[in-house]
Amino acid sequence: MTKANNATIIQLKSFLAPHIPEQLLESLPKRWWFLGDIVLFSLPRELIPYGEIIGKAFLQVLSKPVRSVLGKIGPTTAIIREPQYHLLAGDPNTETIHKELGCLFKLDAAKLTFSPGNHGERTRLVQITSPGEIIIDMFSCVGNLSLPLAVNNSPKKLIAAEINPLAFHYLQENIQLNKVESIVEPVFGDNCTTLPRYRDVADRVLVGYLFSSEEQIRLAIRLCRDGGIIHYHEAVPNKATAVQRPINRIHNAAMLEKAAVTILSRRIVKKYAPGIEHIVLDVRISKK
Ligand SMILES: C[S@@+](CC[C@H](N)C(=O)[O-])C[C@H]1O[C@@H](n2cnc3c(N)ncnc32)[C@H](O)[C@@H]1O
């Protein structure tokens, strides 16, 4: 995520001053991020009617070459996590290749999520994963969390599940682009149907979806070998009454699976929405 420097904000405002009411200039985005050669930002509701000229201002003012400008005009929706972006200016072809952690991610930036706020978690996973591991990514998207592990950490095997046909298409392309075909096995469909056959094999299971069902948490536990680790993500209200909720869910699922769990850490990945945090628990699973 790029926090605007004052010079860029001043340039944006002076470009836009003749085109939008003065009081709205303060609502202009102050942060944006890049996916490949595409720039993205949240566009406040009151600026939606001025989206096209704001897009042109970004094309004009940013020092980095940018092909398309996308404004997020609503929340990411549905199980397949479809973001609501409008093309504000530039090339309507919003497919791009983003480079991060030595990895190439090809994706359509307008149709799929690749959160800049998860960069720290993507980096942390690369730092803590050992060579030779068997890893299962239950919610792969285009390989957001797990492809950097295939590229950097020499796992023995990485099984990547994805239900959205478009995300799965890019996942397959990215496996080839990064030349990790011999390591990564992409699995298309609902993880509750496709993954149960990998019972008791994983050193590490990535549960990188904020709204997993009890069935999916139990599945993550079943996929782990004795001593394996689950990285469990959840969107949690930061009220005292809710903070314990993800830990309770893990304990409940473990009890149903007759496994023991040790909570190794609880981290905030990012602010998800006002009063809601995206958290990740690292959990060791014991089965004996
Ligand atoms: C929000 S994305 C997260 C991607 C990545 N794990 C990350 O943290 O950046 C969640 C992905 O899980 C996929 N998904 C949701 N339900 C699924 C299911 N039952 N089986 C497989 N994939 C699923 C969605 O299509 C989406 O691509």
Side-chain angles (χ1 to χ4, degrees):
M1 183 84 79
T2 303
K3 192 167 185 231
N5 60 37
N6 281 342
T8 314
I9 294 277
I10 291 166
Q11 282 177 293
L12 281 171
K13 281 185 180 170
S14 77
F15 183 100
L16 289 167
H19 304 285
I20 67 178
E22 196 182 343
Q23 71 275 16
L24 292 183
L25 291 173
E26 287 316 308
S27 306
L28 284 170
K30 296 180 182 58
R31 288 166 194 274
W32 47 84
W33 63 98
F34 295 92
L35 285 180
D37 54 1
I38 293 179
V39 66
L40 307 93
F41 49 80
S42 293
L43 189 67
R45 183 190 298 260
E46 63 272 24
L47 289 179
I48 290 175
Y50 306 96
E52 190 179 338
I53 191 70
I54 292 171
K56 285 184 178 156
F58 272 81
L59 283 181
Q60 183 79 24
V61 161
L62 290 179
S63 50
K64 190 172 162 173
V66 165
R67 192 162 50 86
S68 315
V69 184
L70 293 176
K72 189 167 188 198
I73 48 115
T76 304
T77 55
I79 283 178
I80 60 170
R81 311 308 296 148
E82 197 168 5
Q84 294 185 44
Y85 285 112
H86 272 184
L87 176 74
L88 305 181
D91 188 349
N93 174 6
T94 48
E95 182 178 85
T96 190
I97 297 182
H98 177 67
K99 289 182 198 157
E100 188 182 297
L101 296 166
C103 198
L104 300 173
F105 298 94
K106 188 171 182 184
L107 75 163
D108 187 328
K111 297 192 180 134
L112 295 166
T113 53
F114 191 95
S115 170
N118 294 359
H119 173 76
E121 181 62 11
R122 291 191 286 272
T123 307
R124 186 178 81 92
L125 285 175
V126 168
Q127 289 164 347
I128 64 176
T129 298
S130 303
E133 290 189 7
I134 297 177
I135 300 167
I136 300 182
D137 185 353
M138 290 178 62
F139 301 94
S140 298
C141 197
V142 303
N144 309 17
L145 287 177
S146 53
L147 266 188
L149 304 181
V151 168
N152 294 291
N153 297 74
S154 307
K156 183 174 175 190
K157 186 94 204 153
L158 196 156
I159 295 149
E162 176 52 51
I163 199 171
N164 174 356
L166 183 66
F168 188 74
H169 161 77
Y170 284 113
L171 173 66
Q172 288 177 301
E173 278 212 40
N174 289 332
I175 291 167
Q176 287 182 1
L177 263 181
N178 290 284
K179 301 184 174 47
V180 287
E181 299 95 323
S182 61
I183 297 173
V184 185
E185 180 184 336
V187 179
F188 177 64
D190 182 350
N191 49 28
C192 291
T193 311
T194 59
L195 292 182
R197 65 182 188 270
Y198 300 102
R199 191 178 181 122
D200 292 329
V201 302
D203 297 289
R204 200 176 291 282
V205 179
L206 313 182
V207 193
Y209 177 59
L210 300 179
F211 311 100
S212 297
S213 63
E214 179 185 282
E215 186 187 358
Q216 285 166 327
I217 304 172
R218 291 182 64 179
L219 173 61
I221 293 172
R222 284 203 295 280
L223 296 176
C224 261
R225 65 162 172 82
D226 177 41
I229 289 177
I230 289 178
H231 302 285
Y232 171 68
H233 295 241
E234 191 175 310
V236 185
N238 57 13
K239 289 185 189 143
T241 46
V243 167
Q244 195 64 15
R245 187 181 72 189
I247 294 177
N248 292 343
R249 283 192 175 149
I250 291 286
H251 279 296
N252 182 53
M255 187 189 68
L256 293 169
E257 290 299 320
K258 299 185 174 40
V261 291
T262 310
I263 308 293
L264 302 173
S265 69
R266 181 192 195 280
R267 291 162 193 276
I268 297 170
V269 176
K270 62 178 185 283
K271 284 199 172 132
Y272 180 71
I276 300 182
E277 289 166 345
H278 169 177
I279 66 100
V280 58
L281 298 181
D282 289 1
V283 184
R284 189 177 297 286
I285 307 297
S286 307
K287 295 193 166 174
K288 284 176 183 156

